[in-house]
Amino acid sequence: MAKKEPATSCELCVNYVWDDFDECYSCLVNLDEDEYIAFVSNPNYRCPYFHLDDEYSIVRKQN
């Protein structure tokens, strides 16, 4: 049985940024129609554009 990967969280993604104009968080990636439908309808959708916003990754590389 294949291991099920966890769904990604937008709040942890580097593409999820504050928009000063709209005064809210938004995703920088423009999903196409099929990707957006999958994102909205499936709670376990794994975004192919997800990149963990890990601010300590550079520090780990230095050590």
Side-chain angles (χ1 to χ4, degrees), residues 54-63:
D54 186 8
E55 58 190 42
Y56 297 108
S57 65
I58 295 174
V59 174
R60 281 193 292 272
K61 289 181 182 178
Q62 291 174 350
N63 292 334

Side-chain angles (χ1 to χ4, degrees), residues 29-49:
V29 177
N30 291 325
L31 299 176
D32 68 13
E33 186 177 349
D34 294 331
E35 291 172 327
Y36 183 74
I37 290 171
F39 175 73
V40 173
S41 63
N42 184 358
N44 294 323
Y45 177 71
R46 240 180 108 65
C47 180
Y49 307 105

